[in-house]
Amino acid sequence: MNIADVILLVFIGFGLIIGLVRKWWRLIIGLIVFGVLVYGFLYLGPADYISNFVRFDLINWLVDNKIIPPIEINLQEQLGVTFKIETVQEAFLLLQNFDLDPQNLISMSDNFCKMASVIVILPIGILVSWLVSTLLYWVLLRWIMPKFLRKGIINILIGGVVGAIGYGIVGMIVICAIYSPVYGISNNIITPLLDSNSELSVAITNFVGTSSFDQIQQVLKTVNGYIGNFNPLADSSILCRPMINLFGSIGLDPFYIISTTPKEGGESVSFLESFNNFLKDVTNAIIEKSGSVAGA
């Protein structure tokens, strides 16, 4: 059992308690409402609308309302230009100047903005599902539902089981969402930096010096240990890994709840994949620029 399993158990335990308290009918209604809201948000347009607003309009809206100043990056000395960033996608595509793959950058910006839109909707969905299930019970179900379906230890226990399953699924999705960027950071940054012979390690050492880099490595060892113990797909996972594999086998891989299709008719790319590819390009660019500086 690893950290991901412990977190999943916390979600399951919380769901069990909520289910025992709220009873099965209110919980089922709440989970159905929550599921419908999330599905409708992700697949019927609202998620794309919000993510596109974040991706193409948010920065200009913040500037127009004087919440932030215009974003300009002065690179006259380095590249002979000054960049004015008006969209989130432009911020990502700016990295094309360091020879990063623009297709990966566009995928990353799309998934990044979708992640932002999901972060906005999840707490709203939880609140709405709780309110709707409570109102439906007190306004309607309490008066038409037979007493034997509302009272008794069996109904309480059923509520606990429903709560544990429902919140367990939510917990698994949260774990996968958190691990997606963490995996990319560990795979492309921390692990190479811990190998003193890797190109990235040599490049960063040239920038910060040997003594400073040794201190950085000590911190990274601890961080990478926690990340490795958090991996929901590791052999040490006895709960998350079987559940993810089960859902993946029926086409409901939780890692793909946030995904994009880079090209029309192409394969879907998960946030985990796009962020991993993005960091891979970034680290390769750092290595190349470091080599050119050293050569100069």
Side-chain angles (χ1 to χ4, degrees):
M1 181 177 294
N2 61 15
I3 295 175
D5 289 339
V6 173
I7 294 175
L8 182 58
L9 281 175
V10 170
F11 271 92
I12 292 173
F14 181 74
L16 175 64
I17 294 171
I18 293 295
L20 293 174
V21 173
R22 300 203 76 207
K23 311 299 188 301
W24 65 270
W25 56 91
R26 273 181 285 188
L27 197 62
I28 285 181
I29 293 172
L31 289 172
I32 291 173
V33 171
F34 180 76
V36 169
L37 283 174
V38 171
Y39 179 87
F41 178 78
L42 289 175
Y43 302 110
L44 298 182
D48 290 332
Y49 177 82
I50 294 176
S51 65
N52 283 334
F53 172 79
V54 173
R55 187 175 171 188
F56 298 113
D57 302 311
L58 178 61
I59 292 178
N60 278 331
W61 182 85
L62 292 173
V63 171
D64 291 342
N65 287 276
K66 303 187 185 305
I67 298 174
I68 64 172
I71 302 175
E72 295 184 353
I73 301 176
N74 188 343
L75 295 177
Q76 288 293 334
E77 290 187 13
Q78 297 86 348
L79 301 175
V81 294
T82 297
F83 293 102
K84 183 177 181 180
I85 297 177
E86 297 182 334
T87 70
V88 171
Q89 180 160 300
E90 283 179 354
F92 280 94
L93 287 175
L94 181 63
L95 296 172
Q96 287 183 96
N97 294 283
F98 299 95
D99 301 324
L100 270 67
D101 183 356
Q103 195 63 57
N104 284 344
L105 293 175
I106 291 173
S107 297
M108 185 60 234
S109 67
D110 186 25
N111 272 335
F112 175 83
C113 295
K114 283 181 179 177
M115 171 69 81
S117 69
V118 169
I119 291 173
V120 170
I121 192 60
L122 281 181
I124 296 175
I126 292 172
L127 178 61
V128 169
S129 64
W130 185 86
L131 289 174
V132 170
S133 62
T134 300
L135 286 173
L136 276 178
Y137 171 69
W138 287 104
V139 173
L140 183 63
L141 293 181
R142 186 169 181 267
W143 309 107
I144 65 174
M145 183 179 287
K147 187 175 180 179
F148 75 91
L149 291 177
R150 294 188 288 112
K151 304 292 184 179
I153 187 65
I154 299 299
N155 293 305
I156 293 176
L157 294 176
I158 292 174
V161 172
V162 172
I165 294 174
Y167 278 82
I169 293 173
V170 172
M172 184 178 60
I173 293 173
V174 169
I175 290 168
C176 290
I178 294 173
Y179 185 70
S180 292
V182 168
Y183 167 76
I185 293 170
S186 175
N187 189 45
N188 295 287
I189 299 177
I190 297 180
T191 299
L193 287 178
L194 290 177
D195 179 4
S196 299
N197 296 319
S198 72
E199 292 180 312
L200 182 62
S201 180
V202 172
I204 299 300
T205 303
N206 291 335
F207 282 124
V208 302
T210 303
S211 59
S212 297
F213 185 67
D214 288 341
Q215 296 176 0
I216 293 173
Q217 280 190 317
Q218 292 303 316
V219 175
L220 292 179
K221 285 179 182 178
T222 302
V223 173
N224 212 38
Y226 283 114
I227 292 176
N229 199 28
F230 177 66
N231 182 359
L233 295 175
D235 291 338
S236 58
S237 171
I238 62 176
L239 290 177
C240 286
R241 185 166 58 90
M243 288 184 66
I244 292 172
N245 290 338
L246 174 63
F247 280 92
S249 67
I250 58 176
L252 297 174
D253 189 334
F255 280 109
Y256 278 82
I257 193 170
I258 299 174
S259 61
T260 186
T261 304
K263 299 178 181 178
E264 186 175 351
E267 292 186 2
S268 179
V269 178
S270 69
F271 181 59
L272 181 146
E273 292 174 284
S274 64
F275 193 73
N276 182 65
N277 291 335
F278 170 70
L279 288 183
K280 186 181 297 182
D281 285 345
V282 169
T283 53
N284 286 336
I286 291 173
I287 292 168
E288 290 175 8
K289 294 301 177 183
S290 169
S292 63
V293 170

